[in-house]
């Protein structure tokens, strides 16, 4: 299977052209001072360890691939895979090489050159012209190396050895290979460090004044000859200018703004900060970064839990992993945007990086779209990469401190022996390091539910008294981050009114009783506990989007207990939070259908088995739920049987629940605000499908590997109803300058191949993921067909587009 897939990739790339790496890749320049070249084409991939693959005269064979590239998702899952359910039964263990060539100008020795990597999983060794330029350990974190002393004018060979042999690299699906962007950065000999720009902003709401404190780390043989200017502008209008002051080899400067446009999740206003570095008065590097003026404080119950620009807010958060289902971790930038917009539709305003840093583009998008970010550097404290903990943690803080979206640092998740002396010692070491290097945000550690791992050090530190244990750890962190502890919010806030509480993981529907393995629904969900506690800062549901890995059992490839499926389709449960968290009038009727086959959800992390389906047995009594943000809801059957008209607030958690008889036809839920009809939702009985339907989320995509189009396929019966239970087989064909990257239907339990061209409908739909062939333009035609059904097609235009902006 692997060989067939890679051969297909090689053949598709060959159809367009055989450009050199330098000609084929996107080049972004800024006043001819700083240039960035995206090295996404012209790579050769060699699976296995080859002793001389780093040499520039290496003659071994491989296959041509584009970057980002995840070799793990191309493998065939197996019940006996060494990664097991944690890796979704995909095999990632092994070693591979990537090689490419870059062409540099005749004056290459007069310039500085860097290679910057968004993510390489894992333990990459970077060679330039046969010489080792550097090594990195942590597969989730970005890194960069200055390669100036290794390059020469003309052809240069870059070779990267990826070592994924450590079986303990990750306890969920990680991906394998160069999973993020690679950039070649050219500047003058003196330049600004790639992650050496830090901007700390504040906002005084009483005086309506904003402050931006900026530090810049230059790289130069003689920093005394350097000067730095900064210009801040908003939507093209210059608002402030300042000169940097060199202090201890670092530039410091401060900008003050009257009546600034402030950043928040609801108003994500961003300024452009243009920094110009001069050496003896001559420009040597220019960068423009986004800046958000905001104040975020966590004053506990005394001040309101979380204050953004002086006003109380609650984080409506989602925990996420970094894979995107069928495409693995080699994810296009617009797919991340689509994911975040889907979360926005549900009402989320925050994400937790669970449990590792995200690709840099995600933080850019969170700044732009308006998401608060709980930024987590790593999971448990047992991984091999922690031998370099200070190097990794410093890189993490330096890279992400620029972003206004980042509001909390997390230095761990559910670590062992919580509350023990050894755990406290490590906790203090990490917390102190963060306070010393980036003190503008609070730092904490996400704690296990009910402290099941607390060692018996005394009667006050046992499972019978989790509050005492929480308070012990709370002495050393700035905010309580707790997984599934909402029931303790109130008592913690009463006993510690100066410290905010935050649920870093929450169930979607159930609550936390003494028995963690039992499904219990009570009148208060996690969100109820949050809204009732004055010291609460919010919750993060586990999870917003389904993911590969952490499977409960074969044949499931991942974790299905989410509000959004891997193919970006919202599940009925997502409407529950849309009703709680959004303002645009909506109403949604779901049927509780226990007859649906299992998706192998772990107990308590999912919801009831909800369906948008009205095909049952005559006179069956069906449970239903209605999710809405309206005042009242009326339900009718076949337009003549009025079932009820009830006020939403009369139901716990604003979820209207009941039982009604099944009668073939239709059921309608109508929402009212102030007595006026503002929304409705209808489900209908369906017959067998007769035709397919097709739509695409991006009718135009760039041919640069950073954009994908999701073609969504549905079916219709003779009355125009999409049958929820249809599982007809669908086959995809692609014509023109496009490639079928993967297929997905959101069903993690089916054994179809992600890299195949066929799969069944699931919950009435299926998805084809399409990219343009690198460097090619024109019309891509995607057709879906199924025996006995009329086919459906969509067209996508591939265009040349410079997606890279100067930094």
């Amino acid at each position: 299977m692997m060989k067939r897939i890679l051969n297909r990739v090689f053949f598709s790339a060959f159809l367009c052209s055989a450009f050199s790496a330098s000609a084929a890749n996107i080049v972004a320049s800024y006043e001819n001072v700083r240039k960035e070249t995206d090295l996404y084409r012209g790579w050769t991939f060699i699976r296995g360890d080859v002793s001389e693959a780093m040499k520039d005269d290496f003659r071994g064979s491989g296959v041509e691939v584009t970057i980002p590239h995840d070799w793990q998702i191309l493998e065939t899952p197996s019940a006996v895979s060494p990664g097991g359910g944690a890796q979704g039964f995909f095999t990632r263990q092994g070693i591979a090489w990537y090689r490419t060539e870059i062409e540099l100008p005749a004056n290459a020795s007069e310039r500085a050159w860097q290679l910057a990597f968004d993510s390489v999983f894992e333990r990459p060794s970077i060679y330039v012209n046969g010489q080792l330029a550097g090594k990195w350990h942590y597969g989730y974190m970005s890194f960069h190396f200055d390669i100036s002393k290794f390059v020469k004018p003309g052809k240069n060979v870059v070779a990267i050895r990826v070592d994924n042999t450590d079986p303990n690299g990750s306890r969920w699906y990680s991906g394998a290979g160069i999973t993020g962007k690679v950039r070649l950065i050219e500047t003058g000999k003196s330049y600004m460090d790639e992650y050496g720009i830090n901007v700390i902003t504040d906002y005084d709401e009483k005086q309506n004044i904003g402050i931006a404190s900026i530090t810049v780390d230059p790289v130069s043989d003689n920093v005394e000859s350097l000067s730095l200017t900064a210009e801040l502008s908003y939507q093209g209008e210059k608002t402030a200018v300042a000169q940097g002051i060199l202090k201890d080899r670092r530039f410091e400067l401060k900008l003050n703004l009257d009546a600034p446009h402030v950043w928040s999740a609801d108003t994500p206003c961003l300024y452009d900060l243009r920094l110009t570095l001069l050496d003896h008065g001559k420009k040597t590097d220019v960068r423009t970064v986004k800046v958000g003026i905001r104040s975020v404080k966590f004053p506990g119950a005394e001040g309101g839990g979380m204050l953004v620009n002086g006003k109380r807010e609650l984080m409506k958060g989602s925990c996420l992993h970094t894979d995107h289902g069928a495409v693995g971790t080699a994810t296009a930038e617009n797919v991340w945007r689509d994911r975040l917009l889907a979360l926005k539709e549900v009402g989320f305003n925050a994400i937790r990086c669970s449990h590792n840093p995200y690709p840099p583009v995600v933080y850019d998008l969170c700044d732009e779209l308006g998401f608060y970010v709980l930024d987590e550097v790593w999971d448990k404290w047992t991984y091999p990469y922690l031998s370099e903990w200070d190097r990794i943690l410093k890189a993490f803080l330096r890279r992400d401190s620029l972003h206004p979206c980042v509001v909390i640092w997390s230095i761990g998740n559910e670590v062992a022996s919580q509350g023990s002396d050894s755990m406290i010692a490590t906790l203090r070491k990490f917390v102190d390091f963060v306070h010393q290097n980036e003190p503008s945000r609070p730092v904490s550690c996400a704690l296990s539910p009910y402290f099941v791992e607390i060692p018996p050090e005394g009667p006050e530190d046992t499972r019978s008294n989790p509050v005492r244990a929480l308070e012990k750890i709370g002495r050393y962190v700035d905010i309580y981050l707790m997984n599934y502890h909402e029931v303790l919010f109130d008592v913690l806030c009463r006993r510690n009114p100066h410290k905010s509480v935050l649920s870093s993981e929450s169930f979607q529907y159930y609550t936390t009783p003494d028995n963690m393995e039992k499904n219990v629904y009570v009148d208060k969900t996690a969100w109820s506990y949050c809204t009732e506690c004055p010291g609460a800062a919010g919750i993060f549901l586990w999870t917003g989007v389904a993911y590969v890995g952490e499977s409960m059992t074969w044949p499931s490839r991942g974790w299905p207990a989410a509000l959004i499926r891997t193919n970006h389709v919202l599940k009925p449960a997502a409407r529950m939070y849309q009703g709680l968290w959004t303002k645009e009038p909506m109403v949604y009727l779901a049927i509780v259908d226990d007859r649906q086959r299992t998706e192998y959800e772990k107990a308590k992390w999912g919801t009831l088995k909800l369906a948008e389906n009205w095909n049952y047995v005559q006179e069956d009594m069906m449970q239903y739920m209605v999710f809405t943000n309206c005042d009242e809801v009326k339900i009718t059957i076949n337009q003549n049987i009025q079932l009820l008209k009830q006020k939403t607030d009369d139901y716990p958690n604003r979820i209207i629940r009941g039982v009604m008889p099944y009668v073939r036809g239709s059921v309608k839920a109508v929402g009212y605000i102030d007595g006026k009809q503002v929304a409705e939702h209808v489900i209908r009985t369906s017959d067998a499908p007769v035709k397919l339907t097709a739509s695409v989320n991006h009718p135009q995509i760039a041919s640069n590997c950073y954009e994908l189009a999701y073609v969504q396929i549905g079916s219709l019966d003779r009355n125009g109803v999409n049958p929820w239970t249809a599982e007809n087989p669908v086959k995809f064909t692609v014509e023109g300058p496009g490639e079928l990257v993967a297929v997905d239907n959101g069903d993690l339990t089916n054994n179809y191949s992600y890299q195949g061209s066929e799969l069944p409908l699931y919950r009435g739909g299926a998805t084809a993921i399409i990219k343009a062939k690198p460097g090619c333009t024109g019309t891509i035609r995607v057709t879906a067909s199924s025996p006995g059904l009329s086919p459906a097609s969509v067209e996508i235009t591939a265009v040349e587009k410079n997606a890279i902006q100067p930094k």
Side-chain angles (χ1 to χ4, degrees):
M1 175 64 73
M2 180 71 175
K3 182 178 181 181
R4 177 173 64 83
I5 293 166
L6 292 175
N7 285 340
R8 187 182 70 186
V9 172
F10 175 80
F11 177 70
S12 300
F14 178 77
L15 288 177
C16 291
S17 60
F19 294 132
S20 68
S22 59
N25 292 312
I26 299 171
V27 178
S29 63
Y30 207 174
E31 299 181 353
N32 294 319
V33 177
R34 181 184 184 92
K35 298 180 182 179
E36 294 190 7
T37 304
D38 261 40
L39 304 179
Y40 72 94
R41 291 187 62 186
W43 288 88
T44 299
F45 173 69
I46 306 165
R47 189 73 157 87
D49 200 6
V50 182
S51 59
E52 297 185 346
M54 80 289 292
K55 295 184 177 180
D56 53 2
D57 59 352
F58 175 70
R59 293 294 180 265
S61 61
V63 293
E64 187 174 338
V65 298
T66 55
I67 302 299
H69 180 255
D70 175 3
W71 86 61
Q72 182 178 359
I73 203 68
L74 303 178
E75 300 281 355
T76 301
S78 168
V80 295
S81 165
Q87 291 293 321
F89 300 99
F90 289 89
T91 299
R92 70 171 179 84
Q93 280 78 12
I95 294 174
W97 284 85
Y98 294 84
R99 288 172 53 88
T100 192
E101 294 180 1
I102 55 177
E103 192 79 18
L104 299 187
N107 68 339
S109 61
E110 301 172 11
R111 308 285 285 166
W113 305 90
Q114 299 177 75
L115 278 177
F117 298 83
D118 281 1
S119 58
V120 181
F121 209 98
E122 187 170 49
R123 293 187 294 185
S125 300
I126 316 301
Y127 295 87
V128 179
N129 294 326
Q131 301 180 76
L132 180 63
K135 292 184 176 183
W136 187 248
H137 201 156
Y138 191 31
Y140 291 108
M141 187 60 208
S142 308
F143 62 97
H144 59 285
F145 296 120
D146 189 315
I147 60 170
S148 302
K149 64 182 180 181
F150 303 110
V151 299
K152 62 184 186 300
K155 185 184 78 172
N156 293 262
V157 176
V158 176
I160 301 169
R161 181 180 186 268
V162 180
D163 181 353
N164 236 347
T165 55
D166 188 342
N168 300 313
S170 179
R171 64 184 179 98
W172 53 89
Y173 182 90
S174 61
I178 304 179
T179 56
K181 290 164 55 176
V182 182
R183 289 172 294 133
L184 176 69
I185 303 171
E186 175 192 357
T187 63
K189 283 289 191 179
S190 300
Y191 57 88
M192 287 172 268
D193 185 85
E194 182 67 9
Y195 302 127
I197 299 173
N198 185 25
V199 181
I200 299 175
T201 67
D202 199 2
Y203 173 66
D204 186 330
E205 65 275 7
K206 294 182 180 179
Q207 301 186 55
N208 199 15
I209 294 175
I211 301 172
S213 300
I214 306 162
T215 60
V216 177
D217 293 334
V219 178
S220 177
D221 292 335
N222 181 19
V223 297
E224 301 300 328
S225 65
L226 303 179
S227 59
L228 181 77
T229 61
E231 298 176 358
L232 198 65
S233 60
Y234 186 77
Q235 296 183 349
E237 182 178 345
K238 191 179 298 183
T239 58
V241 179
Q243 298 291 324
I245 300 174
L246 190 62
K247 184 178 180 181
D248 297 328
R249 300 184 60 85
R250 166 178 287 187
F251 285 105
E252 298 180 356
L253 57 157
K254 182 172 290 187
L255 298 171
N256 296 321
L257 296 90
D258 293 325
H261 301 275
V262 293
W263 185 95
S264 70
D266 291 332
T267 60
C269 301
L270 292 171
Y271 287 77
D272 289 311
L273 175 63
R274 174 188 167 95
L275 298 165
T276 303
L277 184 68
L278 300 97
D279 192 345
H280 291 97
K282 182 179 179 181
K283 290 181 182 178
T284 187
D285 194 8
V286 177
R287 295 181 67 183
T288 297
V289 297
K290 298 292 185 180
V291 172
I293 306 297
R294 91 304 189 258
S295 168
V296 180
K297 299 176 182 177
F298 296 89
E302 296 173 335
M306 175 182 176
L307 299 179
V308 180
N309 304 321
K311 299 178 181 178
R312 189 187 184 200
E313 284 204 39
L314 291 173
M315 283 187 272
K316 305 164 185 174
S318 167
C319 296
L320 295 176
H321 278 324
T322 53
D323 76 275
H324 285 250
V327 298
T329 55
T331 307
E333 294 181 2
N334 72 332
V335 178
W336 271 109
R337 179 183 291 274
D338 295 339
R339 170 179 281 191
L340 292 173
L341 288 174
L343 291 170
K344 274 285 185 182
E345 179 184 346
V346 176
F348 288 98
N349 68 0
I351 60 173
R352 177 189 177 199
C353 303
S354 311
H355 304 285
N356 47 260
Y358 284 180
V361 67
V362 181
Y363 301 89
D364 293 336
L365 289 169
C366 289
D367 289 343
E368 174 195 341
L369 299 176
F371 282 89
Y372 303 114
V373 175
L374 169 54
D375 207 4
E376 199 156 75
V377 64
W378 45 54
D379 183 29
K380 300 179 183 292
W381 297 343
T382 57
Y383 294 101
Y385 53 71
L386 283 174
S387 61
E388 300 181 8
W389 71 267
D390 50 348
R391 183 187 182 197
I392 295 169
L393 187 51
K394 185 174 183 179
F396 167 75
L397 297 172
R398 283 167 59 87
R399 189 195 72 171
D400 295 349
S401 60
L402 177 65
H403 295 278
C405 65
V406 176
V407 295
I408 300 173
W409 302 119
S410 172
I411 43 81
N413 171 68
E414 297 187 354
V415 301
S417 302
Q418 292 179 162
S420 68
D421 291 343
S422 60
M423 180 270 181
I424 293 294
T426 303
L427 176 73
R428 295 185 67 178
K429 177 176 68 175
F430 291 159
V431 170
D432 289 346
F433 187 91
V434 175
H435 283 163
Q436 293 165 10
N437 286 272
E438 211 298 297
S440 71
R441 297 164 172 90
V443 58
S444 191
C445 179
L447 303 176
S448 296
Y450 281 150
F451 288 77
V452 294
E453 295 183 86
I454 288 183
E457 294 182 351
E460 291 185 335
D461 288 319
T462 64
R463 184 174 178 176
S464 63
N465 197 343
V467 172
R468 181 70 68 183
L470 280 165
E471 290 179 321
K472 179 179 179 181
I473 295 173
R475 299 170 197 158
Y476 308 104
V477 296
D478 301 320
I479 183 174
Y480 286 114
L481 292 185
M482 304 174 293
N483 294 351
Y484 314 104
H485 277 86
E486 305 88 3
V487 294
L488 302 181
F489 273 9
D490 185 61
V491 65
L492 277 171
C493 285
R494 281 189 280 105
R495 294 173 57 134
N496 305 274
H498 62 287
K499 188 156 291 187
S500 298
V501 295
L502 177 63
S503 179
S504 36
E505 289 181 26
S506 292
F507 299 121
Q508 302 166 38
Y509 181 74
Y510 300 106
T511 54
T512 306
D514 290 337
N515 180 0
M516 281 290 294
E517 297 304 318
K518 183 179 179 182
N519 285 359
V520 175
Y521 175 81
V522 296
D523 290 346
K524 293 175 68 173
T525 61
W527 184 244
S528 300
Y529 285 106
C530 179
T531 56
E532 295 172 5
C533 178
I539 66 172
F540 288 84
L541 298 180
W542 195 278
T543 177
V545 183
Y547 54 89
V548 179
E550 287 195 281
S551 164
M552 294 300 99
T553 185
W554 174 263
S556 174
R557 287 182 276 197
W559 184 278
L563 301 183
I564 302 173
R565 297 192 182 278
T566 54
N567 60 338
H568 292 187
V569 174
L570 269 61
K571 297 170 70 173
R575 306 301 180 178
M576 175 169 56
Y577 283 92
Q578 188 177 13
L580 289 171
W581 288 347
T582 64
K583 296 179 180 179
E584 184 70 24
M586 61 79 61
V587 63
Y588 186 91
L589 173 68
I591 304 301
V592 181
D593 183 2
D594 289 332
R595 285 169 281 192
Q596 297 181 65
R597 63 179 173 84
T598 182
E599 293 187 320
Y600 301 106
E601 292 185 347
K602 190 174 183 180
K604 294 192 61 180
W605 273 263
T607 64
L608 298 177
K609 292 184 177 181
L610 303 176
E612 189 175 339
N613 180 38
W614 197 236
N615 283 66
Y616 298 101
V617 178
Q618 196 76 10
E619 298 182 0
D620 268 4
M621 297 301 293
M622 306 303 301
Q623 295 184 57
Y624 67 86
M625 304 180 79
V626 178
F627 311 128
T628 186
N629 52 18
C630 299
D631 301 335
E632 292 181 294
V633 172
K634 180 175 73 173
I635 298 178
T636 57
I637 301 176
N638 291 336
Q639 299 182 339
N640 55 26
I641 304 174
Q642 180 171 319
L643 197 63
L644 62 82
K645 187 175 183 181
Q646 294 287 342
K647 294 185 180 297
T648 310
D649 285 340
D650 290 341
Y651 289 82
N653 300 308
R654 295 179 57 83
I655 299 173
I656 298 174
R657 307 179 67 185
V659 177
M660 61 182 168
Y662 171 72
V663 180
R664 182 180 173 85
S666 64
V667 183
K668 178 191 289 187
V670 178
Y672 298 84
I673 295 179
D674 296 330
K676 181 180 178 181
Q677 179 177 334
V678 293
E680 69 174 44
H681 180 228
V682 182
I683 58 175
R684 296 179 174 88
T685 303
S686 64
D687 295 323
V690 297
K691 67 177 182 179
L692 297 177
T693 63
S695 62
V696 62
N697 63 343
H698 295 292
Q700 178 175 293
I701 56 176
S703 56
N704 60 10
C705 299
Y706 301 131
E707 295 187 356
L708 296 177
Y710 277 53
V711 178
Q712 301 290 359
I713 301 300
S715 65
L716 295 178
D717 69 3
R718 58 189 175 87
N719 298 312
V721 179
N722 182 14
W724 168 270
T725 56
E727 294 190 350
N728 301 61
V730 176
K731 183 175 182 178
F732 294 99
T733 58
V734 180
E735 303 171 89
E739 299 178 21
L740 180 61
V741 177
V743 294
D744 193 1
N745 64 12
D747 180 11
L748 288 163
T749 68
N750 196 293
N751 61 4
Y752 64 86
S753 169
Y754 282 150
Q755 281 71 48
S757 60
E758 300 182 40
L759 78 169
L761 295 171
Y762 183 66
R763 301 294 183 252
T767 308
I769 304 172
I770 307 296
K771 75 174 180 180
K773 293 175 181 177
C776 299
T777 60
T779 300
I780 304 167
R781 185 174 181 83
V782 182
T783 300
S785 59
S786 181
L789 306 184
S790 299
S793 299
V794 294
E795 291 187 348
I796 305 166
T797 303
V799 298
E800 291 183 4
K801 180 181 178 183
N802 189 344
I804 310 304
Q805 299 296 323
K807 295 195 174 191

